Amino acid sequence: MKQSVLAFAAAPFFGTLFATPVISALFGDFRSWGLYCFFGMFLAYAAALLFGAPLYLVIRRLVKNIRLWHAALGGMVCSLPVIAIWLYPFESLYFQRSWQINLALALGTGLTSGAFFWAILWAPLKAPDRSIASKTN
């Protein structure tokens, strides 16, 4: 239980922190990555709580062993409602220039947050036990 709460608290932070500078640099807008990171964290935590937690409970019932691709795809699915809200069609010049990077940021943040969620929650469970106590018994 504690580990899943830690995963839900840390994964959106690390996912946004990792995806934002990479995608900003790919689009040539590295100067604004701090602003994208700030808004991305706000939206990533909202998506994780509103959509990620129920999706995690459903996937956990359906799939016994959650793999990395399950978590990454789940993170991207959780970002779809955020994309729908974020990309609401405005008739402005800013929207016409920025919808591609906003789409890439939302999908990239969802993907990396899902991967970090898996790394925090499920990767330690799959790792072989290397403690001294297990070798003596």
Side-chain angles (χ1 to χ4, degrees), residues 60-116:
R60 190 170 169 202
R61 280 189 183 228
L62 296 175
V63 179
K64 183 176 180 167
N65 233 355
I66 296 178
R67 300 192 190 282
L68 177 61
W69 72 270
H70 292 128
L73 186 64
M76 288 179 69
V77 167
C78 289
S79 69
L80 293 178
V82 173
I83 291 171
I85 294 168
W86 199 350
L87 294 181
Y88 184 77
F90 294 111
E91 297 298 326
S92 69
L93 183 61
Y94 172 75
F95 176 77
Q96 293 171 3
R97 292 188 318 200
S98 67
W99 72 270
Q100 297 97 346
I101 191 169
N102 289 339
L103 178 66
L105 283 168
L107 290 175
T109 299
L111 178 86
T112 55
S113 295
F116 276 109

Side-chain angles (χ1 to χ4, degrees), residues 12 17-18 24 36 44 62 93 105:
L17 198 63
F18 180 76
S24 296
Y36 291 136
L62 296 175
L93 183 61
L105 283 168

Side-chain angles (χ1 to χ4, degrees), residues 30-44:
F30 192 70
R31 294 175 297 149
S32 302
W33 81 270
L35 181 66
Y36 291 136
C37 193
F38 173 74
F39 285 118
M41 292 232 187
F42 176 72
L43 295 172

